[in-house]
Amino acid sequence: MGPDVQEEAQVLTRTRFSHGNSWKHYTAGCSAALANILLTFPVNKTMFRQQLQGLRVTSALCQLRSEGLRQLYRGLLPPVLQKTTTLALMFGLYEDLSLTLLDAVPDGTPSVAVRSLAAVLAGSVEAAFMPFERVQVLLQDRKHCVRFYNTLDAFKQLRKYGLKEYYRGLTPVLLRNGPSNALFFGLRGPIKECLPTASSPGRHLLNDLFCGGLLGALLSTAFYPVNVVKVRMQSEIGGEFRGFSHVFSLIWHERQRNVSYLFRGVHLNYQRSLLSWGIINATFELVLKLL
């Protein structure tokens, strides 16, 4: 057997091995999501109030304090159901789609382009589970506290408006998911390579924590206005489905055409993302190694 044939056989073996072990990426992604949600939910809820109402952090915290501990974790179930599923898909589908596309594209196609496409496709598939994110917004919104008893009740009440109502705000979700996925997976490796070489498991964990946290903070800040529009769109029930540009224009005028008002809550957002994506990335890599 010649060297070229041997090399081709080794590549095929590695590909089959990776496909056979892709379940580990789904499991690690699910575990990472669960660890993150349990640790960061109160911070996320404070930021949500700032996004929706344009409040300062002290005012948002006062609101939550006055509502009590029971209300603080109201809306926890939807993100648990959504994030464990979507992060499992984010990491697992990215791995599967990358391998499938790399096998299918012509020789010489840049792997960066192929993996970026895989990341965008994985992010678009995640949007199928948007109803959980939609219900979470409704349960966290102060004006809906009396209207919806719990997660199941919110899902039941939305049913009378039709399937489309569950996907209100789909456009900003797609605008956020695909590009942010591509940047996250594309930059994760190069950033980690710039860090000091890890000489112990603990140092590996710190590098993963830093790398994920840095990327999460940068990307969530870049896409923060998109999330502000998404929250406004998803806080509405029934009536006209207003487009992304229309809702953005409304918010822009409401906040006096001031960019700093549009970014209210961004400080807490990047701090939360720094912690959140650090936990996600570090937990993912740790669980993947354990598996």
Side-chain angles (χ1 to χ4, degrees):
M1 184 182 293
D4 292 340
V5 176
Q6 286 181 338
E7 184 178 351
E8 184 178 352
Q10 289 173 355
V11 170
L12 288 172
T13 300
R14 287 197 299 270
T15 301
R16 291 192 192 101
F17 177 79
S18 298
H19 274 298
N21 286 274
S22 63
W23 65 270
K24 295 179 180 180
H25 291 78
Y26 290 96
T27 304
C30 181
S31 302
L34 187 60
N36 167 60
I37 292 167
L38 294 177
L39 292 171
T40 63
F41 187 78
V43 181
N44 186 60
K45 192 163 187 177
T46 304
M47 184 195 67
F48 166 82
R49 292 290 176 87
Q50 290 190 273
Q51 288 179 328
L52 184 61
Q53 300 173 22
L55 300 173
R56 295 184 180 276
V57 64
T58 51
S59 300
L61 287 171
C62 285
Q63 266 194 11
L64 295 175
R65 192 182 299 116
S66 67
E67 292 168 12
L69 185 62
R70 184 178 178 182
Q71 290 294 326
L72 180 63
Y73 278 90
R74 176 181 165 89
L76 178 65
L77 183 59
V80 167
L81 295 174
Q82 183 214 7
K83 287 297 184 183
T84 52
T85 304
T86 56
L87 276 180
L89 290 174
M90 174 182 166
F91 287 102
L93 274 180
Y94 170 71
E95 184 69 13
D96 277 342
L97 289 170
S98 293
L99 293 170
T100 301
L101 291 173
L102 285 170
D103 288 345
V105 296
D107 292 339
T109 305
S111 62
V112 174
V114 176
R115 290 188 176 276
S116 295
L117 176 59
V120 171
L121 291 174
S124 300
V125 172
E126 289 175 50
F129 296 87
M130 200 191 89
F132 292 113
E133 189 173 357
R134 165 83 162 115
V135 169
Q136 180 190 358
V137 167
L138 295 175
L139 292 175
Q140 288 184 330
D141 190 351
R142 193 179 193 182
K143 68 185 180 186
H144 297 307
C145 280
V146 178
R147 181 170 186 173
F148 302 116
Y149 180 69
N150 54 27
T151 300
L152 183 60
D153 181 52
F155 270 107
K156 285 181 177 178
Q157 289 200 44
L158 285 180
R159 188 190 306 164
K160 63 184 178 184
Y161 297 100
L163 180 63
K164 190 177 179 181
E165 189 67 38
Y166 290 102
Y167 288 90
R168 185 184 286 268
L170 178 61
T171 300
V173 170
L174 291 173
L175 289 174
R176 176 197 66 190
N177 283 13
S180 63
N181 270 15
L183 290 169
F184 179 80
F185 286 114
L187 296 175
R188 189 171 58 148
I191 289 177
K192 192 171 181 180
E193 288 175 4
C194 294
L195 299 176
T197 304
S199 56
S200 66
R203 190 55 189 262
H204 272 293
L205 192 66
L206 285 176
N207 281 358
D208 290 329
L209 192 70
F210 177 82
C211 177
L214 178 64
L215 269 175
L218 291 175
L219 293 176
S220 66
T221 300
F223 288 93
Y224 190 79
V226 177
N227 273 328
V228 170
V229 176
K230 177 196 77 74
V231 166
R232 175 63 67 85
M233 293 173 77
Q234 291 186 336
S235 67
E236 299 174 353
I237 303 174
E240 179 187 0
F241 277 72
R242 296 181 293 183
F244 179 88
S245 58
H246 180 69
V247 175
F248 177 83
S249 179
L250 284 176
I251 296 171
W252 178 246
H253 285 89
E254 284 176 6
R255 302 194 183 182
Q256 303 170 32
R257 300 186 179 184
N258 189 315
V259 175
S260 64
Y261 291 171
L262 186 63
F263 276 85
R264 271 195 172 165
V266 74
H267 297 90
L268 188 58
N269 176 68
Y270 71 68
Q271 291 170 23
R272 188 264 308 173
S273 295
L274 187 69
L275 174 64
S276 179
W277 279 99
I279 293 171
I280 288 170
N281 196 50
T283 304
F284 173 80
E285 295 293 346
L286 179 62
V287 173
L288 197 61
K289 288 173 185 175
L290 292 175
L291 293 174

